[in-house]
Amino acid sequence: MTTPSFNVTSLEREPVSEQVVAQLLGMVKAGNLKSGDRLPPERDLAQSFGVSRPTIREAVRALAVLGVLTTRQGGGIYVSNLRAETLLSPLQFFLSLEETSVDALYDARQLIEGGIAFRAARAATSTDVQYLHDLIARQQEAIKDPQAYRKLDIAFHERIHGLAANPFLSRAATSLNTLGLEFRTVASESPQVIEQSLLDHAAIAAALAANDPAAAEAAMRQHMQNVLESTRASIALRAQGQTPVPVPVPEPQGRVG
């Protein structure tokens, strides 16, 4: 844990708490406050900003809701892990209230993930493809363990994100994937859905192995479409007060694809 550089500027009169929030966010963006850093005590913060302690508490609460800060009972105020799943949790809640946003979300995922796959196909080596095939084999072994499968699914997509060699695209794709978890948690627990995902992954890996950008993009976009359809079905069942009934599937026989 590092000791943060804590330089503040004087604040205008209105609205004070929002200005505190803006300055603290600025320190995080600049790297003066890093993940795990402990902020000064509330009294010292109030003195540094020249505001009241209730104003500091209001700003801290706002940043805690955003996932930027965490508070520990009797233990102070800390910068969070700043991971996508932490920072996007308020949006996940918002999305859970939006009936139509799932379509917009997966429209965005098709565009971004498809474009990433297109670029990845140009760069993929035999080592990369072998790594993806190994992940698919492990995914097959986890077909009855949805939690383990989801971790392997994330690893599969992250490897492809890395091949695109664009950190902005990678972060955008990871963020959209995190937001989508709110919708598809139930859907992804069905072995049938996992089986389809395995087939999709095999098609994507085959296109990457062939260094075929157009085929890779098409396979990834189809994968996103299949995930959207299973998610829609899950949402419809939940709206009716039901949950998807897992359908047994045969034990995997060797590598898919």
Side-chain angles (χ1 to χ4, degrees):
M1 185 173 68
T2 61
T3 300
S5 173
F6 214 79
N7 297 316
V8 302
T9 60
S10 60
L11 301 175
E12 300 294 335
R13 186 175 296 274
E14 294 290 346
V16 178
S17 62
E18 291 183 14
Q19 293 179 63
V20 173
V21 167
Q23 286 207 37
L24 289 173
L25 284 175
M27 293 177 192
V28 173
K29 291 177 183 178
N32 295 326
L33 284 174
K34 298 179 175 63
S35 176
D37 282 351
R38 181 175 180 174
L39 272 66
E42 183 181 280
R43 179 181 299 173
D44 293 350
L45 283 173
Q47 184 175 358
S48 296
F49 283 104
V51 299
S52 66
R53 293 178 67 174
T55 296
I56 292 297
R57 283 195 289 270
E58 183 179 347
V60 169
R61 280 196 297 268
L63 289 169
V65 169
L66 290 175
V68 176
L69 297 180
T70 60
T71 57
R72 304 175 189 176
Q73 186 66 33
I77 307 163
Y78 293 82
V79 180
S80 76
N81 55 31
L82 300 177
R83 294 173 184 162
E85 61 269 24
T86 301
L87 299 176
L88 292 171
S89 58
L91 279 178
Q92 285 180 280
F93 176 72
F94 168 74
L95 285 173
S96 71
L97 303 177
E98 288 287 298
E99 295 180 357
T100 60
S101 57
V102 64
D103 290 334
L105 174 64
Y106 279 94
D107 180 47
R109 286 201 74 192
Q110 279 193 336
L111 287 171
I112 293 175
E113 294 277 8
I116 285 174
F118 185 97
R119 291 189 174 201
R122 293 172 170 171
T125 65
S126 58
T127 300
D128 297 316
V129 173
Q130 183 59 51
Y131 181 86
L132 294 175
H133 279 307
D134 290 343
L135 279 176
I136 291 172
R138 291 169 62 194
Q139 289 169 357
Q140 287 178 319
E141 296 171 357
I143 197 168
K144 294 183 179 179
D145 185 347
Q147 187 172 13
Y149 179 84
R150 279 194 288 273
K151 292 180 180 179
L152 293 167
D153 178 68
I154 290 171
F156 180 88
H157 285 279
E158 286 183 342
R159 181 68 172 218
I160 296 173
H161 296 167
L163 291 174
N166 186 311
F168 292 99
L169 284 174
S170 177
R171 177 56 62 91
T174 299
S175 298
L176 290 172
N177 180 51
T178 300
L179 291 173
L181 289 174
E182 178 66 30
F183 290 118
R184 68 178 186 275
T185 297
V186 175
S188 64
E189 292 179 357
S190 164
Q192 273 190 324
V193 172
I194 293 177
E195 186 75 5
Q196 180 60 57
S197 183
L198 282 167
L199 294 172
D200 292 348
H201 286 177
I204 294 165
L208 294 176
N211 296 116
D212 187 334
E217 180 177 16
M220 183 64 78
R221 290 177 70 95
Q222 184 60 53
H223 178 41
M224 293 296 104
Q225 182 63 34
N226 290 340
V227 174
L228 170 59
E229 290 175 1
S230 65
T231 302
R232 281 174 178 162
S234 175
I235 291 173
L237 286 174
R238 281 193 289 180
Q240 298 168 12
Q242 305 177 41
T243 55
V245 178
V247 178
V249 296
E251 291 288 341
Q253 301 295 323
R255 176 181 295 165
V256 175

